[in-house]
Amino acid sequence: MLDVLPRTLQLGQWITGLTLFLAITGCDNTTEVSREVSSSAYTLSEAETKKGNVGLAAWGDQLEPGMKAIAVSRDLIKAGLTHQTEVRIDGLPGTYQVLDKMNKRWTDHIDILMEDRQTAREWGRQPVTIRWDVPAE
């Protein structure tokens, strides 16, 4: 009976190690999707957001200065960029969260929330590649 105990502990350590290995190596069953879209930038000025309710996004989120948020055209929502999806934008650091929707007239377009008008104007309109993860099928 005593010689079984060390083997049991070793098996438990092996299972713990395997679990840790799988967690670290990213066995998360997701697939990265990328898409080239046009982009522009917006700020939290009343002229660019809801009149009388600055920063209130279409899904009800309250946008604040400094947030990494984007608005997406509705065709991108159908493509999987739903509320609170994390998005990476090539050329920009970090991840952005989908927190707003754009007017129906836009297609293949994102609007990036920026701190101030000068930065938004410098961004202008430009094509970008966006990347996000979706559950693997």
Side-chain angles (χ1 to χ4, degrees):
M1 176 81 163
L2 290 176
D3 62 60
V4 173
L5 187 57
R7 275 187 260 145
T8 306
L9 286 174
Q10 288 175 352
L11 179 61
Q13 291 170 336
W14 185 84
I15 291 171
T16 301
L18 179 61
T19 303
L20 183 59
F21 172 77
L22 291 174
I24 291 171
T25 57
C27 184
D28 61 2
N29 273 346
T30 61
T31 301
E32 182 182 81
V33 176
S34 66
R35 187 163 175 165
E36 187 168 318
V37 297
S38 58
S39 72
S40 53
Y42 73 114
T43 66
L44 291 177
S45 71
E46 190 169 26
E48 297 179 71
T49 60
K50 260 188 176 106
K51 310 293 185 262
N53 215 338
V54 173
L56 182 62
W59 273 298
D61 297 283
Q62 185 61 49
L63 303 177
E64 301 289 337
M67 290 178 86
K68 289 189 168 221
I70 62 171
V72 296
S73 58
R74 292 167 193 248
D75 62 315
L76 294 176
I77 296 169
K78 292 175 186 168
L81 284 176
T82 57
H83 184 229
Q84 296 183 337
T85 300
E86 295 283 327
V87 176
R88 294 170 300 283
I89 303 169
D90 286 4
L92 294 178
T95 59
Y96 289 75
Q97 210 173 25
V98 176
L99 296 178
D100 207 356
K101 303 176 203 177
M102 299 178 73
N103 187 291
K104 291 175 184 163
R105 73 177 179 265
W106 293 99
T107 57
D108 279 324
H109 195 90
I110 65 169
D111 215 1
I112 305 166
L113 180 62
M114 300 220 169
E115 292 267 350
D116 58 79
R117 277 193 138 154
Q118 183 60 36
T119 306
R121 283 189 176 137
E122 288 171 7
W123 180 264
R125 292 183 191 272
Q126 57 182 292
V128 294
T129 300
I130 56 174
R131 302 174 191 284
W132 70 97
D133 295 323
V134 296
E137 294 179 13

